[in-house]
């Protein structure tokens, strides 16, 4: 782990919070499907002096001098990302996923244009058209939904596209557990003269590790975060076909952002380098195996799994109908026992977003620390015990002790 000696001396409050968070991560079972643990090399890159440099523009065409090393860093990040995903063009500057999505919209849409995006409660993402998001005031988002069996009816989607004539067909999700038909979605977009876009933020690591199919060859524009299954630093990225490159670059800078965070881009490059190694393929495949084991075990305990099956790293569970506990209650009691998940809406959730019917969970983080199907079985059993004994503080305390003991056998940073 990073040496925090200077921080300790100078700012004990921040030091304490950082050390407390390290302990929380080391001793808890992190099952938020979008979280992961970066390597120490990635952490070191984040802490480099590259954070001191202003580098507005792109490699070879910056607005300030002194870019010898920042250009090298950004070019490495771009080349590695291109290799990882087979992309024609890559922009590594977006600060995170939401700004990457906005930049992608700005690059091809005019105010008032229509976008087909997946409904939030059906697994979509806020930035794909939720009314609370600023982009919804500029563009007209039309949601599409999943079917009762958890599938997407692509004939229905095609009919909707023909009826609405959107300028963009947007695929991607933050809580959907099934494989999308990339080819079909991009064909629908082509048929109605729309731009096809995919937000692969959740699954980018599984794609990089070749555990699931790659959307990049099929879509005009693909956005992602770099910190979820891809196991890089917190950040965003846009991959696109050559004809969209100039628009994307202009939308990111100067359209929406100023100076790129070069320490962060360096850390992205390091993470992409790691994802190019054979060990990352083993990791990605294990994430999928662990997820399938988790869904199977939870189902045995009577939990209702939404979307019928899981083909990625996400398990969405209707805890309200299966266990009579709300998503918020489940999140709170599991946290007490040292298991971190998040409350989540289920399709057309009769309850509100603040206290929905479901929870979302996944094993990308615990797979990074080496846990496999054997540990998943134990964790699923604990999840059931916690939920069923939610008002029994003694049970929660005992499970927390067992959670800590298990975590000690799988150190994240080896100290
Ligand atoms: N907050 C992320 C997630 O947990 O899925 C998406 O932006």
């Amino acid at each position: 782990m990073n040496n925090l000696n200077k921080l300790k001396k100078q700012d004990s409050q921040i030091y304490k919070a950082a050390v407390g968070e390290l302990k929380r991560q080391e001793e808890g079972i992190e099952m938020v499907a979008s979280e992961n643990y970066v390597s120490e090399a990635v952490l070191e890159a984040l802490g480099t002096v590259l954070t001191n440099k202003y580098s507005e523009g792109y490699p070879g065409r910056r607005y300030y001098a002194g870019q010898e090393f920042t250009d090298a860093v950004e070019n490495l990040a771009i080349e590695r990302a291109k290799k990882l995903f087979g992309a024609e063009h890559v922009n590594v500057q977006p600060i995170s996923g939401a700004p990457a999505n906005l930049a992608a919209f700005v690059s091809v849409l005019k105010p008032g244009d229509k976008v087909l995006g997946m409904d939030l409660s059906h697994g979509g993402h806020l930035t794909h058209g939720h009314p609370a998001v600023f982009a919804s005031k500029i563009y007209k988002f039309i949601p599409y939904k999943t079917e009762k069996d958890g599938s997407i009816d692509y004939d229905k989607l095609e009919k909707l596209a023909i009826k609405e004539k959107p300028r963009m067909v947007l695929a991607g999700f933050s809580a959907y557990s099934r494989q999308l038909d990339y080819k079909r979605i991009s064909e629908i977009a082509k048929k109605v003269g729309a731009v096809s876009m995919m937000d692969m933020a959740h699954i980018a690591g599984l794609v990089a590790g070749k555990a699931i199919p790659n959307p990049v060859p099929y879509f005009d524009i693909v956005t992602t975060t770099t910190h979820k299954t891809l196991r890089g630093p917190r950040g965003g990225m846009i991959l696109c076909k050559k004809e969209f490159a100039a628009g994307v670059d202009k939308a990111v800078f100067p359209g929406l952002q100023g100076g790129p965070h070069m320490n962060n881009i360096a850390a992205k490059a390091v993470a992409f380098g790691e994802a190019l190694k054979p060990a990352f393929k083993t990791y990605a495949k294990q994430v999928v195996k662990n997820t399938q084991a988790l869904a199977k075990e939870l189902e045995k305990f009577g939990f209702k799994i939404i979307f019928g099956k899981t083909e990625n790293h996400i398990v969405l569970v209707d805890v309200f109908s299966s266990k009579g506990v709300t998503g918020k209650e489940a999140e709170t009691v599991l946290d007490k026992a040292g298991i971190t998940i998040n409350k989540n809406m289920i399709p057309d959730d009769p309850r509100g977003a603040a206290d929905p019917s479901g929870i979302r969970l996944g094993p990308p983080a615990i797979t990074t620390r080496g846990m496999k199907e054997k540990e998943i079985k134990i964790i699923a059993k604990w999840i059931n015990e916690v939920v069923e004994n939610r008002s029994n503080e003694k049970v929660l305390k005992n499970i927390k002790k067992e959670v800590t003991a298990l975590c000690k056998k799988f150190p994240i940073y080896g100290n």
Side-chain angles (χ1 to χ4, degrees):
M1 258 301 290
N2 283 6
N3 178 335
L4 302 178
N5 288 343
K6 298 255 172 20
L7 183 64
K8 186 178 182 182
K9 254 194 209 155
Q10 183 185 313
D11 194 326
S12 62
Q13 287 165 298
I14 294 295
Y15 172 78
K16 267 189 203 145
V19 170
E21 176 59 16
L22 173 62
K23 187 167 160 15
R24 190 193 70 80
Q25 290 185 16
E26 287 281 5
E27 293 183 358
I29 290 176
E30 184 53 72
M31 299 283 273
V32 172
S34 51
E35 294 190 16
N36 216 327
Y37 307 114
V38 299
S39 71
E40 289 179 73
V42 168
L43 279 180
E44 282 183 5
L46 282 170
T48 59
V49 294
L50 286 155
T51 195
N52 294 337
K53 187 68 194 132
Y54 253 124
S55 307
E56 276 132 318
Y58 291 99
R61 45 196 174 104
R62 308 274 194 192
Y63 286 81
Y64 296 78
Q67 307 291 349
E68 183 184 351
F69 300 105
T70 49
D71 275 7
V73 163
E74 189 164 345
N75 279 329
L76 274 171
I78 291 167
E79 287 316 312
R80 288 176 188 174
K82 276 185 175 172
K83 198 164 165 200
L84 207 46
F85 296 104
E88 291 179 15
H89 178 78
V90 175
N91 187 309
V92 292
Q93 294 193 5
I95 303 302
S96 206
N101 283 347
L102 186 58
F105 298 155
V106 166
S107 74
V108 288
L109 302 177
K110 287 194 298 296
D113 276 351
K114 286 184 183 172
V115 179
L116 295 192
M118 197 165 179
D119 186 272
L120 180 66
S121 80
H122 285 249
H125 188 253
L126 269 175
T127 56
H128 298 185
H130 191 275
V133 170
F134 187 68
S136 299
K137 299 189 194 334
I138 311 174
Y139 313 115
K140 188 170 170 5
F141 287 90
I142 297 142
Y144 57 90
K145 299 187 173 192
T146 58
E147 299 301 304
K148 284 233 158 357
D149 66 357
S151 66
I152 291 173
D153 182 335
Y154 293 100
D155 292 337
K156 223 185 202 176
L157 182 63
E158 183 171 329
K159 275 188 198 135
L160 185 67
I162 290 167
K163 180 173 159 246
E164 297 290 350
K165 298 183 186 55
R167 176 73 187 115
M168 175 183 276
V169 176
L170 171 55
F173 47 80
S174 62
Y176 189 56
S177 58
R178 292 179 60 168
Q179 178 59 42
L180 297 181
D181 187 341
Y182 305 142
K183 189 166 176 277
R184 185 76 202 273
I185 298 170
S186 63
E187 282 167 0
I188 291 171
K190 206 167 259 162
K191 186 166 184 177
V192 298
V195 173
S196 59
M197 172 176 158
M198 163 97 187
D199 175 348
M200 66 163 180
H202 258 268
I203 53 168
L206 306 184
V207 172
K210 304 204 182 328
I212 62 170
N214 182 6
V216 173
Y218 296 96
F219 289 84
D220 296 322
I221 303 177
V222 175
T223 57
T224 185
T225 52
T226 49
H227 51 272
K228 296 185 174 84
T229 48
L230 191 49
R231 214 162 62 184
R234 202 152 284 282
M237 174 162 74
I238 305 176
L239 311 97
C240 63
K241 301 274 182 264
K242 274 204 176 106
E243 60 262 44
F244 295 90
V248 162
D249 286 353
K250 249 204 241 164
V252 173
F253 173 83
L256 293 162
Q257 292 186 184
H261 297 186
M262 293 310 306
N263 59 322
N264 194 273
I265 290 174
K268 286 175 185 171
V270 174
F272 300 159
E274 291 171 358
L276 282 165
K277 292 191 177 138
F280 198 81
K281 286 199 183 76
T282 312
Y283 164 70
K285 290 199 173 90
Q286 189 61 47
V287 170
V288 175
K289 280 191 213 161
N290 281 355
T291 314
Q292 282 166 359
L294 179 66
K296 198 171 128 207
E297 291 301 312
L298 289 174
E299 215 161 16
K300 276 193 210 160
F301 288 116
F303 285 96
K304 184 179 175 196
I305 310 295
I306 302 291
F307 301 131
K309 57 178 164 177
T310 175
E311 292 167 314
N312 51 36
H313 62 295
I314 293 171
V315 183
L316 186 66
V317 184
D318 179 354
V319 283
F320 192 64
S321 80
S322 47
K323 296 282 172 177
V325 58
T326 70
K328 191 177 169 190
E329 284 165 350
E331 181 187 273
T332 306
V333 283
L334 284 165
D335 195 34
K336 271 191 188 170
I339 300 171
T340 317
I341 54 96
N342 66 278
K343 56 183 172 294
N344 211 100
M345 284 198 289
I346 59 166
D348 299 323
D349 203 319
R351 304 181 56 84
D355 192 6
S357 303
I359 58 171
R360 183 191 67 167
L361 61 170
I366 58 168
T367 308
T368 291
R369 68 196 295 175
M371 294 189 189
K372 295 198 171 143
E373 289 92 329
K374 185 175 158 224
E375 287 74 36
I376 293 284
K377 265 192 165 188
I378 301 169
I379 295 167
K381 185 174 135 287
W382 285 336
I383 291 173
N384 185 50
E385 279 171 11
V386 168
V387 166
E388 297 215 325
N389 298 280
R390 52 192 173 275
S391 41
N392 188 335
E393 291 291 331
K394 205 173 148 202
V395 172
L396 302 186
K397 245 189 202 161
N398 281 340
I399 292 179
K400 180 156 188 155
K401 265 192 212 152
E402 292 183 67
V403 162
T404 308
L406 178 70
C407 287
K408 288 227 155 98
K409 292 191 208 155
F410 295 89
I412 305 168
Y413 292 112
N415 55 14

